[in-house]
Amino acid sequence: MKNHIPGTERVPFWLRWLVPVLLVLTWLAVAGVGGPTFGRLDEVSSNDQASFLPASAEATAAQEWQSKFRDSDEVPGIIVIENADPMTPAQLGEMAELKTRLAELKLGSAVIGPIPSEDGRAVQFVAPIDSSGELKEAVKELRDTVAEAAPDGMQTYVTGPAGLAADLTAAFAGIDGILLLVALGAVFVILLIVYRSLLLPIVVLLTSVFALCAAILLVFGMAKAGWIQLNGQSQGILSILVIGAATDYALLFVARFREALTHTTNRTAAVLKAWKASFEPILASGATVIIALLCLLFSDLNSNKALGPVAAAGILCSLFAALTLLPALMALFGRAAFWPFRPKLVPAGEREPELVTGLEGQKGLWRATGSLVSRRPRIIWVGSVLLLVLAAGGLLQLKANGVPQTDVILTASNAVDGQDALARHFDAGSGSPAVVVADESKAADVLDTVKSADGVGEAYLLAPGSVPITGAPGTPADPDVRDGKVLINATLNSAADSLEAEEAVKELRTNVRDVDPGALVGGVTATALDTNTTAQRDLVIIIPVVLVVILFILMLLLRSVVAPVLLVLSVVLSYAAAMGVSALVFNNIFGFSGADATVPLFGFVFLVALGVDYNIFLMSRVREESLKHGTRPGILRGLGVTGGVITSAGVVLAATFAALGVIPIMFLVQLAFIVAFGVLLDTVLVRSLLVPALAYDLGAKIWWPSKLGRGLPAGPAQQAQHIPKHSAEEEPAAEAAR
């Protein structure tokens, strides 16, 4: 006789077949539309500087004024031709001929140059490029032409805003293909090892891929409507986050489904039971991450604001896929999904063993872990805390105050090499001047102030018809005037991405406001300075908001105050430890010059939100078991039955984020390491040892002020929580007594 779950013995046809088939067909339709949209994201994506700037910073306001001085959408490309020895008159003559060839390309307005360096070993051209077309292709054409026309033995570079933008776009090129293939390949291998099944890993991956298709469709629509600003950075994180989160949720559901199949032969009834058991933790987990990500909307950095809703949309689609598509597929495949190791029906008498210690029925690693936790809980959680505090000490070496623009791209870059050549032969700040926007009536006085400022090599008013960044000098009597404002270019003595240049900009801002209170100072250096300042402000504002939101959700889920507070403290400590170790690795192993100013915030949002996920999976099951068996047995039982699935989920998420490392952008490589290491740390140490040991030490107090925290009515199962802790020798006897 078949065994069925009480109340579900008769499952109607529409629930067994019609609903699952309709759900699968609906998701197939979504994937059919969303899949091709993946290749169209470039239509609504931008990697220009405006997509990363602080929204209300002075540098952003200055850039908006610069755009008013443009008569076309042109971006300057700085051409540098370098020779080992001083150039001869004949070679300089060839440089003049090169200008004619550059003009024939018709990439933009008139080419400026050649401008020889003081040492005679280099010349510089300024070639404005119309950015309304394909900037990457235009820069490639320019590089090919310069390399072909330059005399033998000379090095040629195309750098400046156009060259750097083109190389940045090229670095992000792997997001559409390589990143996705690496992430999916890594997840597939892990799932094969976890499930030892051929079909189930494919089903889980299909859930993740369909969730990604839905997310892409949603994000594309929002970007097309102008609701969000999409860039390569948020696009890459979206793919990784959806695959990782959807797979994590799928692992939890599949674990519950496998467990239900040991109680019934009815696959639909098993799906319903698994859905009911996993709905609350999956929903709480997804809601936690979504709300934490939406807290990025409080940021003043455009890059942060862009990522918040993009990533939240991805988690939302992952949530829906895990709770609709995956159950439908499981309802159709049933036990066949687990072939060749199909779950076997467990005799009714063995399904719900009465627990004494909580270790009954467990084997292997998780029985040993539970036994260790029950014998020495205080030593374990105190030792874990001390280890995390020690790792967090590395935070003192974290240099998250921005990195030079030339260090952002980790692979070979003609533009980066060109910036170095530019600094060798011209003023260090050449090609990336500070830009001062001043009132027309005070133009002469502001210009004199800028020229006399420390750290400024030269300064000039922009002439009519010039390119705003590297245009020709004008005179105080005849500057280019737009809406009553003039533009002053100030070449700094220090490299634009140096600390010395930032100090020069700070002093320049103070000095020019004494003459013109409404003056603005922008440019590359000012943008970096304002970005770092804004990032520090965001940390102070967003971190407390995220913690309060997560704490509130945990309180609703666990019906407790003590447990949520301890869980939040544990993931914060885990985050600090991950950042500390990451700082040591970045400085001493990878040899990075520093870290992007937004790295600590992004690391916090992902690690805290995702780290809480695993505690939600653990403690929701612990609470369920505690209601049946008592708190301490419930802790060991919950740890044992969730140990494998949560560890697998952590490894999957770490692997997917590690895949970000294939994109040669320093920010993404750093984020990949921080999240991958942090998730593993949280999964292995915090969730497996620290949280269970601390909860076991506190006992029923962990659930205060709920009824569970005050003790349940007397009964064999409930009284178990008051049984003294057993030693290793006493455990077998306790089980025998049962």
Side-chain angles (χ1 to χ4, degrees):
M1 178 179 177
K2 293 184 178 180
N3 296 287
H4 298 285
I5 297 173
T8 60
E9 288 81 0
R10 300 181 62 183
V11 180
F13 173 83
W14 63 269
L15 190 57
R16 282 187 293 121
W17 293 106
L18 188 59
V19 171
V21 169
L22 286 176
L23 284 173
V24 171
L25 290 177
T26 300
W27 275 98
L28 280 171
V30 170
V33 179
T37 305
F38 194 54
R40 298 180 57 198
L41 285 180
D42 287 343
E43 298 176 16
V44 292
S45 179
S46 172
N47 291 313
D48 63 20
Q49 197 177 38
S51 65
F52 296 89
L53 288 176
S56 61
E58 182 176 340
T60 307
Q63 188 187 58
E64 291 172 358
W65 272 104
Q66 282 179 263
S67 65
K68 295 182 180 181
F69 284 80
R70 293 192 181 100
D71 295 320
S72 63
D73 294 328
E74 291 185 339
V75 179
I78 310 298
I79 300 168
V80 181
I81 301 178
E82 183 182 33
N83 194 35
D85 301 311
M87 294 186 186
T88 64
Q91 289 173 326
L92 290 174
E94 291 183 56
M95 296 298 109
E97 293 176 7
L98 174 59
K99 181 176 181 178
T100 303
R101 292 194 58 178
L102 295 176
E104 292 173 354
L105 295 176
K106 297 181 179 179
L107 299 176
S109 57
V111 176
I112 301 170
I115 305 169
S117 63
E118 289 186 5
D119 61 13
R121 289 182 168 87
V123 296
Q124 175 186 171
F125 294 88
V126 179
I129 300 174
D130 186 358
S131 62
S132 60
E134 285 290 337
L135 184 62
K136 181 181 174 183
E137 295 302 320
V139 169
K140 183 181 184 302
E141 184 179 6
L142 190 59
R143 283 173 175 162
D144 291 343
T145 301
V146 173
E148 181 184 341
D152 293 339
M154 292 191 183
Q155 297 296 320
T156 62
Y157 311 96
V158 176
T159 184
L164 287 168
D167 287 357
L168 189 64
T169 300
F172 276 118
I175 281 180
D176 288 340
I178 297 175
L179 176 62
L180 197 56
L181 288 175
V182 170
L184 290 175
V187 172
F188 184 70
V189 170
I190 295 169
L191 292 177
L192 279 176
I193 296 172
V194 170
Y195 289 131
R196 294 175 297 165
S197 164
L198 298 177
L199 181 59
L200 195 54
I202 296 174
V203 171
V204 172
L205 272 187
L206 277 178
T207 303
S208 302
V209 171
F210 279 28
L212 181 58
C213 290
I216 288 169
L217 193 60
L218 182 57
V219 167
F220 181 85
M222 292 192 295
K224 194 76 171 176
W227 298 348
I228 61 172
Q229 199 170 32
L230 185 65
N231 55 51
Q233 177 178 290
S234 54
Q235 186 179 332
I237 293 174
L238 170 68
S239 300
I240 290 302
L241 195 59
V242 170
I243 293 172
T247 305
D248 275 7
Y249 301 151
L251 284 166
L252 181 63
F253 178 85
V254 170
R256 285 291 198 165
F257 181 56
R258 181 197 288 271
E259 187 177 331
L261 285 175
T262 63
H263 292 64
T264 179
T265 58
N266 188 319
R267 62 175 184 266
T268 307
V271 166
L272 292 174
K273 183 175 182 180
W275 193 91
K276 182 179 179 181
S278 59
F279 174 79
E280 192 175 64
I282 290 177
L283 182 64
S285 170
T288 301
V289 181
I290 288 171
I291 297 175
L293 288 167
L294 290 178
C295 288
L296 289 174
L297 291 172
F298 291 104
S299 171
D300 197 39
L301 281 174
N302 284 337
S303 56
N304 290 0
K305 282 188 175 181
L307 179 62
V310 169
I315 294 296
L316 183 65
C317 293
S318 301
L319 198 65
F320 273 106
L323 292 175
T324 57
L325 175 60
L326 183 62
L329 291 171
M330 291 293 98
L332 295 175
F333 286 113
R335 277 182 166 77
F338 296 89
W339 184 87
F341 298 100
R342 302 182 183 187
K344 296 180 180 179
L345 195 66
V346 176
E350 300 177 15
R351 292 176 190 172
E352 294 290 340
E354 182 182 337
L355 300 187
V356 176
T357 66
L359 297 173
E360 291 81 1
Q362 296 185 37
K363 300 177 182 178
L365 174 64
W366 296 107
R367 178 183 174 86
T369 303
S371 178
L372 181 65
V373 165
S374 66
R375 292 200 307 269
R376 300 286 187 270
R378 189 162 301 175
I379 292 176
I380 291 173
W381 74 258
V382 170
S384 299
V385 168
L386 291 176
L387 184 61
L388 292 173
V389 170
L390 181 64
L395 275 171
L396 299 174
Q397 296 190 34
L398 182 65
K399 298 180 288 187
N401 54 356
V403 294
Q405 193 176 24
T406 52
D407 288 349
V408 171
I409 303 173
L410 298 178
T411 53
S413 165
N414 183 265
V416 170
D417 294 340
Q419 289 291 111
D420 293 336
L422 200 63
R424 284 195 296 270
H425 302 287
F426 298 89
D427 287 338
S430 178
S432 302
V435 179
V436 181
V437 181
D439 191 84
E440 176 190 5
S441 63
K442 300 175 181 177
D445 293 337
V446 173
L447 179 60
D448 290 340
T449 301
V450 173
K451 285 182 175 179
S452 62
D454 291 338
V456 176
E458 63 171 335
Y460 56 86
L461 283 158
L462 191 73
S466 296
V467 181
I469 296 180
T470 55
T475 66
D478 185 29
D480 192 5
V481 180
R482 305 289 173 98
D483 296 340
K485 298 289 185 180
V486 296
L487 216 60
I488 298 172
N489 281 352
T491 303
L492 304 178
N493 294 328
S494 305
D497 50 15
S498 65
L499 293 177
E500 292 79 8
E502 290 188 6
E503 291 302 318
V505 166
K506 290 179 184 177
E507 183 176 346
L508 197 57
R509 284 176 168 174
T510 301
N511 293 346
V512 298
R513 287 200 186 96
D514 291 339
V515 180
D516 180 4
L520 301 170
V521 178
V524 173
T525 305
T527 297
L529 176 63
D530 290 347
T531 298
N532 293 342
T533 303
T534 305
Q536 297 301 320
R537 166 202 167 273
D538 286 349
L539 278 173
V540 175
I541 292 177
I542 295 177
I543 284 180
V545 174
V546 171
L547 290 177
V548 169
V549 166
I550 291 176
L551 185 63
F552 179 71
I553 293 175
L554 286 174
M555 286 180 178
L556 290 178
L557 176 68
L558 300 178
R559 288 82 160 171
S560 166
V561 171
V562 174
V565 169
L566 294 178
L567 292 180
V568 168
L569 289 176
S570 71
V571 294
V572 169
L573 183 57
S574 177
Y575 160 74
M579 290 301 299
V581 172
S582 297
L584 297 174
V585 171
F586 295 161
N587 297 342
N588 303 308
I589 298 178
F590 292 167
F592 291 151
S593 58
D596 191 278
T598 59
V599 162
L601 179 60
F602 277 28
F604 176 84
V605 170
F606 286 121
L607 278 184
V608 172
L610 296 173
V612 165
D613 271 8
Y614 302 123
N615 283 321
I616 286 175
F617 294 165
L618 170 65
M619 293 306 290
S620 60
R621 185 60 183 261
V622 166
R623 187 177 189 278
E624 178 185 331
E625 298 293 340
S626 296
L627 287 170
K628 294 187 291 185
H629 306 293
T631 296
R632 286 196 170 101
I635 290 169
L636 300 184
R637 171 73 174 171
L639 176 63
V641 296
T642 64
V645 64
I646 296 178
T647 301
S648 301
V651 172
V652 164
L653 192 63
T656 52
F657 264 92
L660 275 175
V662 304
I663 305 300
I665 302 294
M666 183 182 290
F667 168 81
L668 293 180
V669 171
Q670 290 178 332
L671 187 64
F673 181 84
I674 290 170
V675 178
F677 176 78
V679 165
L680 291 177
L681 181 67
D682 200 80
T683 305
V684 174
L685 181 63
V686 177
R687 187 270 315 173
S688 299
L689 295 175
L690 173 56
V691 170
L694 181 56
Y696 198 91
D697 195 22
L698 290 174
K701 297 175 185 176
I702 197 78
W703 307 117
W704 184 89
S706 68
K707 291 182 179 179
L708 189 57
R710 298 194 299 269
L712 293 174
Q718 288 74 30
Q719 290 172 355
Q721 65 179 312
H722 304 295
I723 294 177
K725 304 170 193 175
H726 298 286
S727 66
E729 294 76 20
E730 292 171 325
E731 284 171 5
E735 287 194 42
R738 177 182 65 80

